[in-house]
Structure formats: C-alpha cells, structure tokens
Amino acid sequence: VLDVEDLQGVAYYIPCPKSPHGSDVDPTGEYIVGSGKLASLIPVFSFSKMIKAIEDKKFDGDFDGIPVLNYETVLHGEVQKPGLGPLHTEFDSKGNAYTSFFVSSEIVKWNIKTLEVIDRQPTYYSTGHLTVAGGDSKAPFGKYLVAWNKITKDRYLPTGPELAQSAQLFDISGDKMELLLDFPTIGEPHYAQAVAADLVRNN
C-alpha cells in the first residue's frame, strides 16, 4: 500500500465540477478532460500547466495530506453548455473530442483547443461509454465511433432470456457525424477498444 504521507509528491488532486466520472487524455498528452456527471460544462485541464503548478506549489490547501491544485491555474478552459450528464470522451486524429452524455442521450463533438461544440447526434438511449477506433492511442484512426447505450431494453424484440441492448455506429470522418448502423448487443455494453483489422490479422 502506498501511503501519501510517506511518499510526498506521489499524487495531487485537481478540483473537477461536479461528481466527476470519466477522465480522459487526448492523443498529444497535453489535455485532460474531466467529465462531471452533474456538471453543465466540461473542464479541460492542461498537463503542462499542471506540472508548472506543482513546481510553483500553486495549491489550495490539501485533502487527507494530498495537495489540491488551484483550479484556474491548471485549467485550459471549459466547454460551455455541451449537454447534460457527460461521462466519457474519445478523440479523433484531427484535434476533436467526442463526449457521451448520459442524461441528454447524445454524442457531442467539440474541438479540444477552441473548446467549441461542432456537432451533436442523438443516441438511443442514455449512452455511457463510447469507442473511437484507436481513440485511446497517440494516433487514432478517427473514422468510426460506436456509442454503447444503456437503458435500451425496449429497443429490440426479446429473442431469449436476456434482452438485447443498443449500440450505434457513426462515421466521424467528415465535419458532421453520420449514423451508419443501429444494432443490438448482449449485456450492458461497457468499455471497448477498436483497431484496424490489419493490426491483428497480419500478425
């Protein structure tokens, strides 16, 4: 067990409004997206600002011996009025982010640097996790996105003892997201990765 009292500097807190759920880092490693389930905005933090704040000891006190970094000091900016109930964020290869919204049941596309909302597409229903092919790597493929929806047991006719859930495939290669396929999946869809078939098939 690592004890922060014995290992000073091993961990730091960053305030994140409100009831944070997902914490996702963009392909460059510079931007950290904090998704607050009950927040009406999305805070985006800067890794380089965070390191400088630690060096300059820009703290707002501590919590259980762990220093709390000053929110404004480490903030890159806030995405204003993106939707309701942000949970998770994935990224493409063009500097865009895609965030799932559990309450407003949608996927929202926004620019990481300008923090401007570019597009939004409804999902059926409350989407939780989402997957962009290669979205958690330094070089996302950035062509397809899958929304893994929750609370969707009435979307498809029952065909057995377990009811099918809903997932949706979007083309994200253009400026606007385009729904390609609405399909059933078994079990509550959760976190998943997608890669080009050649990375697996050729090896």
Side-chain angles (χ1 to χ4, degrees), residues 43-108:
V44 181
F45 304 102
S46 163
F47 181 81
S48 56
K49 286 184 178 181
M50 178 185 72
I51 295 301
K52 189 172 190 315
I54 293 170
E55 293 171 349
D56 296 342
K57 300 190 183 303
K58 297 285 186 180
F59 305 136
D60 284 337
D62 69 89
F63 184 80
D64 283 344
I66 300 176
V68 178
L69 292 164
N70 178 269
Y71 179 78
E72 287 77 14
T73 302
V74 298
L75 187 69
H76 164 62
E78 298 169 337
V79 181
Q80 297 295 325
K81 298 182 179 179
L84 298 175
L87 291 188
H88 299 281
T89 301
E90 291 273 312
F91 307 91
D92 65 16
S93 58
K94 302 174 184 176
N96 298 310
Y98 301 80
T99 300
S100 61
F101 286 84
F102 181 76
V103 177
S104 54
S105 295
E106 58 185 333
I107 300 291
V108 175

Coordinates of all heavy atoms in Angstrom, one line a residue, residues 43-108:
P43 N -14.8 20.7 -18.0 CA -13.5 21.3 -17.8 C -12.4 20.5 -18.5 O -12.4 19.3 -18.5 CB -13.3 21.2 -16.2 CG -14.1 20.0 -15.9 CD -15.3 19.9 -16.8
V44 N -11.5 21.2 -19.1 CA -10.3 20.6 -19.8 C -9.1 21.2 -19.2 O -8.9 22.4 -19.1 CB -10.3 21.0 -21.3 CG1 -9.1 20.3 -22.0 CG2 -11.6 20.5 -22.0
F45 N -8.2 20.3 -18.6 CA -7.0 20.7 -17.9 C -5.8 20.5 -18.8 O -5.8 19.7 -19.7 CB -6.9 19.9 -16.6 CG -8.1 19.9 -15.7 CD1 -9.0 18.9 -15.7 CD2 -8.3 21.1 -14.9 CE1 -10.1 19.0 -14.8 CE2 -9.4 21.2 -14.1 CZ -10.3 20.1 -14.0
S46 N -4.8 21.3 -18.5 CA -3.5 21.3 -19.2 C -2.5 20.6 -18.4 O -2.2 20.9 -17.3 CB -3.1 22.7 -19.5 OG -1.7 22.8 -19.8
F47 N -1.9 19.5 -19.0 CA -0.8 18.8 -18.4 C 0.4 19.7 -18.0 O 0.9 19.6 -16.9 CB -0.4 17.6 -19.2 CG 0.7 16.8 -18.6 CD1 0.4 15.8 -17.6 CD2 2.0 16.9 -18.9 CE1 1.3 15.0 -17.0 CE2 3.0 16.2 -18.3 CZ 2.7 15.2 -17.4
S48 N 0.8 20.5 -19.0 CA 2.0 21.4 -18.8 C 1.7 22.4 -17.7 O 2.6 22.7 -16.9 CB 2.4 22.1 -20.1 OG 1.3 22.8 -20.6
K49 N 0.5 22.9 -17.6 CA 0.1 23.9 -16.6 C 0.1 23.2 -15.2 O 0.4 23.7 -14.2 CB -1.3 24.5 -16.9 CG -1.3 25.5 -17.9 CD -2.7 26.2 -18.1 CE -2.7 27.3 -19.1 NZ -4.0 27.9 -19.2
M50 N -0.3 21.9 -15.2 CA -0.4 21.1 -14.0 C 1.0 20.9 -13.5 O 1.3 21.1 -12.3 CB -1.0 19.8 -14.3 CG -1.1 18.9 -13.0 SD -1.8 17.2 -13.4 CE -0.4 16.5 -14.4
I51 N 2.0 20.6 -14.3 CA 3.4 20.3 -13.9 C 3.9 21.6 -13.3 O 4.6 21.6 -12.3 CB 4.2 19.8 -15.1 CG1 3.7 18.4 -15.5 CG2 5.7 19.8 -14.7 CD1 3.8 17.4 -14.4
K52 N 3.7 22.8 -14.0 CA 4.2 24.1 -13.5 C 3.6 24.4 -12.2 O 4.2 25.0 -11.3 CB 3.9 25.2 -14.6 CG 4.6 26.5 -14.2 CD 4.5 27.5 -15.3 CE 5.4 28.7 -15.1 NZ 5.3 29.2 -13.7
A53 N 2.3 24.2 -12.1 CA 1.6 24.5 -10.8 C 2.2 23.7 -9.6 O 2.3 24.2 -8.5 CB 0.1 24.2 -10.9
I54 N 2.5 22.4 -9.9 CA 3.2 21.6 -8.9 C 4.5 22.2 -8.5 O 4.9 22.3 -7.4 CB 3.3 20.1 -9.4 CG1 1.9 19.5 -9.5 CG2 4.2 19.3 -8.4 CD1 1.9 18.1 -10.2
E55 N 5.3 22.6 -9.6 CA 6.6 23.1 -9.3 C 6.5 24.4 -8.5 O 7.4 24.7 -7.7 CB 7.4 23.4 -10.6 CG 7.7 22.1 -11.4 CD 8.3 22.3 -12.8 OE1 8.1 23.5 -13.3 OE2 8.8 21.4 -13.4
D56 N 5.5 25.2 -8.8 CA 5.3 26.5 -8.2 C 4.5 26.4 -6.9 O 4.2 27.5 -6.3 CB 4.7 27.5 -9.1 CG 5.5 27.8 -10.4 OD1 6.7 27.6 -10.3 OD2 5.0 28.3 -11.4
K57 N 4.1 25.2 -6.6 CA 3.3 25.0 -5.4 C 2.0 25.8 -5.3 O 1.7 26.5 -4.3 CB 4.1 25.2 -4.1 CG 5.3 24.3 -4.0 CD 6.0 24.3 -2.7 CE 7.2 23.5 -2.6 NZ 7.0 22.1 -2.9
K58 N 1.3 25.8 -6.5 CA 0.0 26.6 -6.5 C -1.1 25.7 -6.0 O -1.9 25.0 -6.8 CB -0.3 26.9 -8.0 CG 0.7 27.9 -8.6 CD 0.5 29.3 -8.1 CE 1.5 30.3 -8.8 NZ 1.3 31.6 -8.3
F59 N -1.2 25.6 -4.7 CA -2.1 24.7 -4.0 C -3.2 25.5 -3.3 O -3.0 26.6 -2.9 CB -1.4 23.8 -3.0 CG -0.3 23.0 -3.6 CD1 0.9 22.9 -2.9 CD2 -0.4 22.3 -4.8 CE1 2.0 22.1 -3.4 CE2 0.6 21.6 -5.3 CZ 1.8 21.5 -4.6
D60 N -4.4 24.9 -3.3 CA -5.5 25.4 -2.5 C -5.7 24.5 -1.3 O -6.7 23.8 -1.1 CB -6.8 25.5 -3.3 CG -6.8 26.7 -4.2 OD1 -6.0 27.6 -4.0 OD2 -7.5 26.6 -5.2
G61 N -4.7 24.4 -0.4 CA -4.7 23.5 0.7 C -4.5 22.1 0.4 O -3.8 21.8 -0.7
D62 N -5.0 21.2 1.2 CA -4.8 19.7 0.9 C -6.0 19.0 1.5 O -6.8 19.5 2.2 CB -3.5 19.2 1.6 CG -3.6 19.2 3.1 OD1 -4.1 18.2 3.7 OD2 -3.3 20.2 3.8
F63 N -6.1 17.7 1.0 CA -7.2 16.8 1.5 C -6.6 15.5 1.9 O -6.0 14.8 1.0 CB -8.2 16.6 0.4 CG -9.4 15.8 0.8 CD1 -10.4 16.4 1.5 CD2 -9.5 14.5 0.4 CE1 -11.5 15.6 1.9 CE2 -10.6 13.7 0.8 CZ -11.6 14.3 1.5
D64 N -6.6 15.2 3.1 CA -6.0 14.0 3.7 C -4.5 13.9 3.3 O -4.0 12.8 3.0 CB -6.7 12.7 3.1 CG -8.0 12.4 3.9 OD1 -8.3 13.0 4.9 OD2 -8.8 11.6 3.4
G65 N -3.9 15.0 3.4 CA -2.4 15.1 3.1 C -2.0 15.2 1.7 O -0.8 15.2 1.3
I66 N -3.0 15.2 0.8 CA -2.7 15.3 -0.7 C -3.0 16.7 -1.1 O -4.1 17.2 -0.9 CB -3.6 14.3 -1.5 CG1 -3.4 12.8 -1.0 CG2 -3.3 14.4 -3.0 CD1 -4.2 11.8 -1.7
P67 N -2.0 17.4 -1.7 CA -2.2 18.8 -2.1 C -3.3 18.9 -3.2 O -3.4 18.1 -4.1 CB -0.8 19.2 -2.7 CG 0.1 18.2 -2.1 CD -0.6 16.9 -2.0
V68 N -4.1 20.0 -3.1 CA -5.1 20.3 -4.1 C -4.7 21.4 -4.9 O -4.4 22.5 -4.5 CB -6.4 20.6 -3.4 CG1 -7.5 21.0 -4.4 CG2 -6.9 19.5 -2.4
L69 N -4.5 21.1 -6.2 CA -4.1 22.2 -7.2 C -5.1 23.2 -7.4 O -6.3 22.9 -7.4 CB -3.7 21.5 -8.5 CG -2.5 20.6 -8.5 CD1 -2.4 19.7 -9.7 CD2 -1.2 21.4 -8.4
N70 N -4.7 24.5 -7.6 CA -5.6 25.5 -7.9 C -6.3 25.3 -9.3 O -5.6 25.1 -10.3 CB -4.9 26.9 -7.9 CG -5.8 28.0 -8.2 OD1 -5.9 28.4 -9.4 ND2 -6.4 28.6 -7.2
Y71 N -7.6 25.3 -9.3 CA -8.4 25.0 -10.5 C -8.1 25.9 -11.6 O -7.8 25.4 -12.7 CB -9.9 25.1 -10.1 CG -10.9 24.9 -11.2 CD1 -11.2 23.6 -11.6 CD2 -11.5 25.9 -11.9 CE1 -12.1 23.3 -12.7 CE2 -12.4 25.6 -12.9 CZ -12.7 24.3 -13.3 OH -13.6 24.1 -14.3
E72 N -8.1 27.2 -11.5 CA -7.8 28.2 -12.6 C -6.4 28.0 -13.1 O -6.2 28.2 -14.3 CB -8.1 29.6 -12.1 CG -9.6 30.0 -12.0 CD -10.2 29.4 -10.7 OE1 -9.4 29.0 -9.8 OE2 -11.4 29.4 -10.6
T73 N -5.5 27.7 -12.2 CA -4.1 27.6 -12.6 C -3.8 26.5 -13.6 O -3.0 26.6 -14.5 CB -3.2 27.5 -11.4 OG1 -3.4 28.6 -10.5 CG2 -1.7 27.4 -11.7
V74 N -4.5 25.4 -13.4 CA -4.3 24.2 -14.3 C -5.3 24.0 -15.4 O -5.2 23.1 -16.2 CB -4.3 22.9 -13.4 CG1 -3.2 23.0 -12.4 CG2 -5.6 22.7 -12.7
L75 N -6.3 25.0 -15.5 CA -7.3 24.8 -16.4 C -6.9 25.3 -17.8 O -6.4 26.4 -18.0 CB -8.6 25.6 -15.9 CG -9.9 25.5 -16.8 CD1 -10.4 24.1 -16.6 CD2 -10.9 26.6 -16.3
H76 N -7.2 24.5 -18.9 CA -7.0 25.0 -20.2 C -8.3 25.8 -20.6 O -8.2 26.8 -21.3 CB -6.9 23.8 -21.2 CG -7.1 24.1 -22.6 ND1 -6.3 25.0 -23.3 CD2 -8.0 23.7 -23.5 CE1 -6.8 25.1 -24.6 NE2 -7.8 24.3 -24.7
G77 N -9.4 25.3 -20.2 CA -10.7 26.0 -20.5 C -11.9 25.1 -20.2 O -11.7 24.0 -19.9
E78 N -13.1 25.7 -20.5 CA -14.3 24.9 -20.2 C -15.2 24.9 -21.5 O -15.4 26.0 -22.1 CB -15.1 25.6 -19.1 CG -14.4 25.5 -17.7 CD -15.0 26.4 -16.7 OE1 -15.8 27.3 -17.0 OE2 -14.8 26.1 -15.5
V79 N -15.7 23.8 -21.8 CA -16.7 23.7 -22.9 C -18.0 24.1 -22.3 O -18.5 23.4 -21.4 CB -16.8 22.2 -23.5 CG1 -17.8 22.2 -24.6 CG2 -15.4 21.7 -23.9
Q80 N -18.6 25.1 -22.8 CA -19.8 25.7 -22.3 C -21.1 25.1 -22.9 O -21.1 24.9 -24.1 CB -19.9 27.2 -22.5 CG -18.7 28.0 -21.8 CD -18.8 27.9 -20.2 OE1 -19.9 27.8 -19.7 NE2 -17.7 27.8 -19.6
K81 N -22.0 24.7 -22.0 CA -23.3 24.1 -22.4 C -23.2 23.0 -23.5 O -23.8 23.0 -24.5 CB -24.2 25.2 -23.0 CG -24.5 26.3 -21.9 CD -25.5 27.4 -22.5 CE -25.8 28.4 -21.4 NZ -26.6 29.5 -21.9
P82 N -22.4 22.0 -23.2 CA -22.2 20.9 -24.1 C -23.3 19.9 -24.2 O -23.6 19.2 -25.2 CB -20.9 20.2 -23.7 CG -20.9 20.4 -22.2 CD -21.6 21.8 -22.0
G83 N -24.0 19.7 -23.0 CA -25.1 18.8 -22.9 C -25.3 18.4 -21.4 O -24.7 19.1 -20.6
L84 N -26.0 17.4 -21.1 CA -26.3 17.0 -19.7 C -25.8 15.6 -19.4 O -26.1 14.7 -20.2 CB -27.8 17.1 -19.5 CG -28.5 18.4 -19.6 CD1 -30.0 18.3 -19.5 CD2 -27.9 19.5 -18.7
G85 N -25.0 15.5 -18.4 CA -24.5 14.2 -17.9 C -23.3 13.7 -18.7 O -23.3 12.5 -19.1
P86 N -22.3 14.5 -18.9 CA -21.1 14.0 -19.6 C -20.4 12.8 -18.8 O -20.3 12.9 -17.6 CB -20.2 15.2 -19.7 CG -20.6 16.1 -18.5 CD -22.0 15.9 -18.4
L87 N -20.0 11.8 -19.6 CA -19.4 10.6 -18.9 C -18.0 10.3 -19.4 O -17.1 10.2 -18.7 CB -20.3 9.4 -19.1 CG -21.7 9.4 -18.3 CD1 -22.3 8.0 -18.4 CD2 -21.5 9.8 -16.9
H88 N -17.9 10.1 -20.7 CA -16.6 9.7 -21.3 C -16.3 10.4 -22.6 O -17.2 10.9 -23.3 CB -16.6 8.2 -21.6 CG -16.9 7.3 -20.3 ND1 -15.9 7.1 -19.4 CD2 -18.0 6.8 -19.9 CE1 -16.4 6.3 -18.5 NE2 -17.6 6.1 -18.7
T89 N -15.0 10.5 -22.9 CA -14.5 11.3 -24.0 C -13.5 10.4 -24.8 O -12.6 9.9 -24.2 CB -13.9 12.6 -23.7 OG1 -14.9 13.4 -23.0 CG2 -13.4 13.4 -24.9
E90 N -13.7 10.4 -26.1 CA -12.7 9.8 -27.0 C -12.2 10.8 -28.0 O -12.8 11.9 -28.1 CB -13.4 8.6 -27.8 CG -13.7 7.4 -26.9 CD -12.5 6.5 -26.7 OE1 -11.9 6.1 -27.7 OE2 -12.2 6.1 -25.6
F91 N -11.2 10.5 -28.8 CA -10.6 11.5 -29.7 C -10.4 11.0 -31.1 O -10.2 9.8 -31.3 CB -9.3 12.0 -29.1 CG -9.4 12.4 -27.6 CD1 -9.2 11.5 -26.6 CD2 -9.7 13.7 -27.3 CE1 -9.4 11.9 -25.3 CE2 -9.8 14.1 -26.0 CZ -9.7 13.2 -25.0
D92 N -10.4 11.9 -32.1 CA -10.0 11.5 -33.4 C -8.6 12.0 -33.8 O -7.9 12.5 -32.9 CB -11.0 12.0 -34.5 CG -11.1 13.5 -34.6 OD1 -10.2 14.2 -34.1 OD2 -12.1 14.0 -35.1
S93 N -8.2 12.0 -35.0 CA -6.9 12.4 -35.4 C -6.8 13.8 -35.9 O -5.8 14.3 -36.3 CB -6.4 11.5 -36.6 OG -7.3 11.5 -37.7
K94 N -7.9 14.6 -35.7 CA -8.0 15.9 -36.2 C -8.1 17.0 -35.1 O -8.5 18.1 -35.4 CB -9.1 16.1 -37.2 CG -9.1 15.1 -38.4 CD -10.3 15.2 -39.2 CE -10.3 14.2 -40.4 NZ -11.6 14.2 -41.1
G95 N -7.9 16.6 -33.9 CA -8.0 17.5 -32.8 C -9.4 17.7 -32.2 O -9.6 18.7 -31.5
N96 N -10.2 16.7 -32.5 CA -11.6 16.8 -32.0 C -11.8 15.8 -30.9 O -11.2 14.7 -30.8 CB -12.6 16.5 -33.1 CG -12.5 17.6 -34.2 OD1 -12.5 18.8 -33.9 ND2 -12.3 17.1 -35.4
A97 N -12.8 16.1 -30.0 CA -13.2 15.2 -28.9 C -14.6 14.8 -29.1 O -15.4 15.6 -29.7 CB -12.9 15.9 -27.6
Y98 N -15.0 13.7 -28.6 CA -16.4 13.2 -28.7 C -16.8 12.7 -27.3 O -16.1 11.8 -26.7 CB -16.5 12.0 -29.6 CG -16.0 12.4 -31.0 CD1 -14.7 12.4 -31.4 CD2 -17.0 12.7 -32.0 CE1 -14.3 12.8 -32.7 CE2 -16.6 13.0 -33.3 CZ -15.2 13.1 -33.6 OH -14.8 13.4 -34.9
T99 N -17.8 13.4 -26.7 CA -18.2 13.1 -25.3 C -19.6 12.5 -25.3 O -20.5 12.9 -26.0 CB -18.1 14.3 -24.5 OG1 -16.8 14.9 -24.5 CG2 -18.5 14.1 -23.0
S100 N -19.7 11.4 -24.5 CA -21.1 10.8 -24.3 C -21.8 11.6 -23.2 O -21.2 11.9 -22.2 CB -20.9 9.3 -24.0 OG -20.2 9.2 -22.7
F101 N -23.1 11.7 -23.5 CA -24.0 12.4 -22.5 C -25.1 11.5 -22.1 O -26.0 11.2 -22.9 CB -24.5 13.7 -23.1 CG -23.4 14.8 -23.1 CD1 -22.6 14.8 -24.2 CD2 -23.3 15.7 -22.1 CE1 -21.6 15.8 -24.3 CE2 -22.3 16.7 -22.1 CZ -21.4 16.7 -23.2
F102 N -25.1 11.1 -20.8 CA -26.0 10.1 -20.3 C -27.4 10.6 -20.2 O -28.4 9.9 -20.4 CB -25.5 9.6 -19.0 CG -26.3 8.5 -18.3 CD1 -26.3 7.2 -18.8 CD2 -27.2 8.8 -17.3 CE1 -27.1 6.2 -18.2 CE2 -28.0 7.8 -16.7 CZ -27.9 6.5 -17.2
V103 N -27.5 11.9 -19.7 CA -28.9 12.4 -19.4 C -29.5 12.9 -20.7 O -30.7 12.6 -21.0 CB -28.8 13.5 -18.4 CG1 -30.1 14.2 -18.1 CG2 -28.2 13.0 -17.1
S104 N -28.8 13.7 -21.5 CA -29.4 14.2 -22.7 C -29.3 13.2 -23.9 O -29.8 13.6 -25.0 CB -28.8 15.6 -23.1 OG -27.4 15.5 -23.2
S105 N -28.8 12.0 -23.7 CA -28.8 10.9 -24.6 C -28.2 11.4 -26.0 O -28.9 11.4 -27.0 CB -30.2 10.3 -24.8 OG -30.6 9.7 -23.6
E106 N -26.9 11.7 -26.0 CA -26.3 12.2 -27.2 C -24.8 12.1 -27.2 O -24.2 11.9 -26.1 CB -26.7 13.7 -27.5 CG -26.3 14.6 -26.4 CD -26.8 16.0 -26.6 OE1 -27.0 16.4 -27.8 OE2 -26.9 16.8 -25.6
I107 N -24.2 12.1 -28.4 CA -22.8 12.2 -28.5 C -22.5 13.6 -29.1 O -23.1 14.1 -30.0 CB -22.2 11.2 -29.6 CG1 -22.5 9.8 -29.1 CG2 -20.7 11.4 -29.7 CD1 -21.8 9.3 -27.9
V108 N -21.6 14.3 -28.4 CA -21.2 15.7 -28.8 C -19.8 15.8 -29.2 O -18.9 15.3 -28.6 CB -21.5 16.7 -27.6 CG1 -21.1 18.1 -28.0 CG2 -23.0 16.7 -27.3

